[in-house]
Amino acid sequence: MTEKATMQPVISLRNLRKSFGALEVLKGISLDAHKGDVIAILGSSGSGKSTMLRCINMLEIPTAGDVVVGGETVKLKKQGHGLAIADRRQIDGIRSRAAMVFQSFNLWSHMTILENLIEAPIHVQRRPRAECIAEAMALLEKVGIADKRDAYPSHLSGGQQQRAAIARALAMHPDVMLFDEPTSALDPERVGEVLAVMRSLADEGRTMLLVTHEIAFARDVATRVIFLHEGVIEEDGPADEVFRNPKSERFRRFISNTQHG
């Protein structure tokens, strides 16, 4: 048995289902993400990729199934025709451990970049302000925008805002980073600067789940690739293996269309 097989997963999904009204978007997703995994989640629009990611930190409440983060199962309770969060404090903890980076940055527009980074560590994690500021400055240096600490988000390019959003997520000391199409809102010339930061995080051995359309990046950086089709995992395996020899004909067509599109 491999060492990874005996380790507790950072994230476990068990038969995860999510419906919006009559539309079932996720149809029983199960997966484990272990420490150091970089999992690229691929699929056509509407396949359920972002919904799956949003269910992990409860931005969407699953219709059924279990979400386990760091060995802790998210507690949900029956409410009306669906489920609801049972323990708000638990969700705060889980969102600290599974930090999300969004397509549209989601920085607080009324705060400077530095204030964006220190807000949650101070108020959610109750860490000392001076420590949070020192760490935030080091993170801004790491992502290459230390000179923007006192600027407001609207004064930054899209690429700079996304790098600030990544630094803000890192400030929470997460066990896993969740990236929801982090480059799709960027001008093409800004994509590379965000991917470079993400590549450096992968090189550090950070655990990452990444919804992306950047096939070349996924091929290069991911340790594992999952291909979703209509709410079901249709292909799953080591990145080099699934790209070299996909079992799913649909995934083969998806790669081909993406590369020639």
Side-chain angles (χ1 to χ4, degrees):
M1 190 176 275
T2 66
E3 183 188 351
K4 188 169 276 194
T6 62
M7 282 163 43
Q8 185 184 69
V10 180
I11 302 274
S12 271
L13 305 180
R14 291 286 167 265
N15 197 27
L16 185 71
R17 293 178 179 273
K18 175 62 182 175
S19 296
F20 296 97
L23 177 65
E24 191 175 26
V25 176
L26 299 178
K27 302 173 183 174
I29 299 281
S30 295
L31 75 86
D32 289 337
H34 290 87
K35 186 173 170 57
D37 282 349
V38 178
I39 302 178
I41 302 157
L42 307 178
S44 305
S45 293
S47 58
K49 309 182 300 295
S50 292
T51 302
M52 184 181 101
L53 217 57
R54 291 170 69 84
C55 282
I56 292 172
N57 69 355
M58 295 294 135
L59 290 167
E60 299 288 358
I61 308 301
T63 308
D66 289 325
V67 175
V68 186
V69 179
E72 183 182 352
T73 303
V74 179
K75 299 188 190 79
L76 298 171
K77 61 185 177 188
K78 285 266 189 291
Q79 185 170 316
H81 296 297
L83 294 171
I85 291 165
D87 183 348
R88 278 273 157 205
R89 276 175 313 190
Q90 184 194 36
I91 297 307
D92 284 344
I94 279 167
R95 285 180 182 160
S96 295
R97 296 207 297 277
M100 187 94 153
V101 177
F102 299 89
Q103 188 172 334
S104 52
F105 327 133
N106 285 27
L107 296 167
W108 290 300
S109 59
H110 64 291
M111 293 182 181
T112 67
I113 296 304
L114 180 63
E115 288 165 347
N116 263 278
L117 264 67
I118 65 175
E119 176 73 8
I122 290 173
H123 296 292
V124 176
Q125 297 180 329
R126 309 280 181 210
R127 284 160 49 199
R129 183 180 179 84
E131 174 193 304
C132 293
I133 289 173
E135 189 170 292
M137 284 308 301
L139 287 169
L140 291 175
E141 187 76 48
K142 180 189 184 85
V143 301
I145 54 168
D147 59 326
K148 303 296 184 186
R149 59 172 283 176
D150 297 322
Y152 287 89
S154 59
H155 298 147
L156 273 60
S157 71
Q160 289 169 333
Q161 287 188 63
Q162 194 60 292
R163 285 184 280 157
I166 292 170
R168 182 177 64 174
L170 290 169
M172 297 297 282
H173 296 176
D175 297 329
V176 59
M177 299 276 286
L178 308 175
F179 290 91
D180 187 10
E181 301 195 19
T183 58
S184 64
L186 301 178
D187 296 331
E189 65 270 20
R190 300 291 182 190
V191 169
E193 63 196 48
V194 172
L195 294 181
V197 170
M198 292 168 63
R199 183 186 298 272
S200 73
L201 297 179
D203 290 344
E204 288 172 11
R206 288 190 178 271
T207 312
M208 296 158 64
L209 270 66
L210 164 68
V211 171
T212 184
H213 291 296
E214 302 287 341
I215 300 293
F217 183 77
R219 187 192 291 264
D220 240 15
V221 173
T223 56
R224 179 173 161 203
V225 168
I226 287 169
F227 175 66
L228 282 190
H229 177 69
E230 295 183 353
V232 174
I233 294 178
E234 182 149 318
E235 184 93 44
D236 178 5
D240 54 351
E241 202 173 287
V242 299
F243 280 119
R244 193 174 60 247
N245 188 25
K247 296 182 183 72
S248 153
E249 180 55 39
R250 200 174 272 115
F251 181 52
R252 184 170 293 150
R253 285 201 306 272
F254 174 80
I255 302 168
S256 174
N257 292 342
T258 312
Q259 286 171 340
H260 299 116

